[in-house]
Amino acid sequence: MDWDLLAYDAAPVGIVVTQHRVIRGCNASFAQMLGYQKAELIGQSFRLLYGTTEEFEQVRDIGMAPLRADTAYSDERMLRRRDGGQIWCRFRAQTRTPDDPLAQLVMSIAVIHDGPPLSLSARQRQVVSGLGRGLTSKEIARELGLSPRTVEDVRARLLKRFEVKNAAELLAHLTVG
């Protein structure tokens, strides 16, 4: 028995290897959490998993400095499933090529929202992602090129929608479903 292959394919988290953000390999858990067959994902751009090109590019930009400095990066983010639903997940990446971090990246992705599929707008996903990284509304606004008031409005609508009192409760709600 090939124990290494078994560990990779049967891991309880999604594992994916990319080359310049194109999926070159993944385990069954990764494909299953997103509603695909493994063969359907191989050769696809990671763009497939984001609602907009802007979001796809923004996520790249956020992680580049940590990957260059430490060869690793992690955060929590929304990914789009095949059925259009979204999953809130913990994302960890390790580059094998620090001088060109996206040339060869190994990632693990674990679902942390286990309830019904989420449906958030691109802006809501951006704000939740910033909150998940511990950013303030001002920091999120600066990162997104928005006014802090706009971020506060999005945040307030999310709090109301999920019937929670603050960002910590919102993130906890998204984490446990």
Side-chain angles (χ1 to χ4, degrees):
M1 174 170 275
D2 186 342
W3 293 104
D4 290 336
L5 184 57
L6 178 62
Y8 170 77
D9 215 39
V13 298
I15 300 172
V16 61
V17 177
T18 62
Q19 183 178 39
H20 296 289
R21 303 182 86 192
V22 172
I23 300 168
R24 297 299 181 201
C26 67
N27 68 357
S29 296
F30 178 75
Q32 183 180 19
M33 78 174 58
L34 297 167
Y36 290 93
Q37 297 295 315
K38 284 172 50 172
E40 294 175 296
L41 291 170
I42 306 303
Q44 293 290 327
S45 168
F46 230 75
R47 164 64 180 91
L48 178 71
L49 307 178
Y50 292 93
T52 66
T53 299
E54 175 189 27
E55 190 175 359
F56 174 65
E57 291 170 359
Q58 176 199 19
V59 166
R60 174 202 60 213
D61 296 343
I62 291 169
M64 290 300 284
L67 284 170
R68 281 193 179 106
D70 302 325
T71 71
Y73 175 70
S74 69
D75 69 18
E76 293 177 1
R77 64 177 59 170
M78 303 293 292
L79 291 178
R80 187 175 67 180
R81 294 178 39 83
R82 180 183 196 153
D83 64 10
Q86 299 155 1
I87 57 172
W88 179 245
C89 55
R90 183 165 291 112
F91 167 89
R92 292 189 169 107
Q94 181 83 36
T95 185
R96 309 247 320 137
T97 53
D99 293 337
D100 185 6
L102 300 179
Q104 191 177 60
L105 206 58
V106 178
M107 296 173 273
S108 69
I109 298 171
V111 175
I112 56 177
H113 173 78
D114 213 8
L118 297 170
S119 179
L120 300 177
S121 71
R123 182 69 71 221
Q124 289 170 328
R125 288 190 305 271
Q126 291 169 331
V127 170
V128 167
S129 175
L131 294 172
R133 288 181 285 122
L135 300 179
T136 66
S137 292
K138 278 186 176 182
E139 291 167 328
I140 296 168
R142 191 175 313 116
E143 189 175 88
L144 299 176
L146 301 171
S147 75
R149 181 66 190 153
T150 299
V151 172
E152 284 295 329
D153 287 346
V154 171
R155 185 176 171 161
R157 285 193 303 276
L158 285 166
L159 296 178
K160 182 177 179 180
R161 173 180 171 186
F162 291 102
E163 299 176 349
V164 295
K165 296 176 184 159
N166 56 45
E169 286 183 24
L170 174 65
L171 293 172
H173 178 82
L174 293 175
T175 301
V176 298

